[in-house]
Amino acid sequence: MPSFVGPIKINSVGSGAVVQVGDCLYIAPKVATKTQAGSGGFNTGDFVMTNNAISFTNAFDPDVVDQTVAANN
């Protein structure tokens, strides 16, 4: 569905990243990673203020494989 998108600010794009604006039928990522961060860890913007009294991150992951991307290459 077509739409108007406001201003976009992209500071950096990693080697395995996908930046998509607008309509898309198929996106095939080449890498898959998992990252754990505490409350407010990935807030982005020019003026960010987070107030977190207590933050715990459970990084226990019993899975061996979460997502395979072997067929996307």
Side-chain angles (χ1 to χ4, degrees), residues 49-69:
M49 179 175 26
T50 58
N51 298 309
N52 302 313
I54 299 173
S55 175
F56 294 103
T57 302
N58 183 6
F60 175 70
D61 185 17
D63 299 347
V64 176
V65 177
D66 291 325
Q67 178 180 354
T68 59
V69 291

Side-chain angles (χ1 to χ4, degrees), residues 4-37:
F4 292 104
V5 178
I8 297 174
K9 179 180 179 183
I10 300 175
N11 292 329
S12 65
V13 177
S15 62
V18 176
V19 176
Q20 186 268 325
V21 178
D23 296 342
C24 181
L25 175 66
Y26 182 73
I27 295 178
K30 304 300 181 198
V31 295
T33 59
K34 180 182 280 190
T35 304
Q36 290 88 11

